[in-house]
Amino acid sequence: MQVTFPHMGYLNIPVSNMLTNLGVSVIEAPTITKKTIELGSLHSPEGVCLPYKINMGNFLEGIERGADTLVTVCGAGKCRQGFYNSVQKISLSEKTPLQFHTINASENLFINLYGFLRTVAPNASRFSIVENIAIAIKTLKALDALNNAKNYYGARAKNADTIISIYQSGISQLGQCHTFREINKKQAEITAQMQAIATGGANQPAKVGIIGELYLLLEPYVNHNIEDLLIKQGVEVKKFVYTGDWAYSQIILRTLGLYNEETDHLKQARPYLNYHVGGDGLKSVGTALWCTRHHYDGIIHLYPFGCMPEIVAQYALKNIAKDYNIPMLALSIDEHASDVGIITRLEAFIDCLKRKQK
């Protein structure tokens, strides 16, 4: 059995480590490239969103490398993502015999993840499975913290490229850690390196909140490395969706009955949106309101072309931008989006922020 899974930011690092430590043979799909998108688009229905096509490309490239067991996370929410696994399973099974596992995030994620690991690693002990899940979550949260530190110190450094290089190196180094103590120590070391360099730059840079669809927020290749583009322009970026936070909330807090994502987001989004509109639409509106009330200088809304939940959310977001007089840039991204187009619009948006600051 050779297991592969789709990419999403740095998620592959703890997932691959977790499976390997449990004795599962892993074949990672190549890093996302133009070829991945073209391959996925070729084997996907034309009207589906970009995350579906990229997931499909990851699976196909993993199969090319020898994988015969695919695993993905889906949830039956009010979004087409809930049906991705079924459609992809049918489509890929027509090409080659394979096993397809779905971890259902709309139910108890811990139980579903544990059940999957028991299936693919039958010789692993219960303690070992739980321990590796805990270390994977810890690693993800440390990676989230480094991402936050990069966005904070990068905007304040004279040379943001150095901060970005430290962050990229730090991702690899955290992937080599196997205990809570090692993870904490490495996270502190890398953060200190960034802090030491971030002197002499802007003291109070413009601050932008990035909101929108989860996959586009978390996968830098797909969002054209928007965070790095902004901090290189001296703009601090705050993201409100992180893989580690999501995993911790869904696996730990939800299992303990301490987390209700929809209720929390509904409170934040009122009075501009009073209903769950599917996907991450409600959270986008709630987060935008939070940004306006915490004196952010601007908001960037990222979503895949044709994403209905985010299109519905846009009506509320436009009203928020108007009522609070806050600049808002909406970027709809599909497989045809180019770096040049994204950079041009970002530069114009940043100019707008800096003029407003004066």
Side-chain angles (χ1 to χ4, degrees), residues 37 257 319:
I37 298 176
N319 288 331

Side-chain angles (χ1 to χ4, degrees), residues 276-325:
H276 187 27
V277 295
D280 302 299
L282 190 63
K283 182 169 186 177
S284 293
V285 175
T287 307
L289 267 175
W290 188 92
C291 289
T292 59
R293 290 164 180 163
H294 289 80
H295 311 296
Y296 275 61
D297 298 294
I299 296 170
I300 296 177
H301 182 210
L302 278 177
Y303 60 97
F305 176 76
C307 177
M308 285 306 296
E310 297 299 333
I311 290 171
V312 174
Q314 264 206 345
Y315 288 97
L317 293 174
K318 286 177 182 174
N319 288 331
I320 291 170
K322 180 181 177 184
D323 292 349
Y324 286 88
N325 191 28

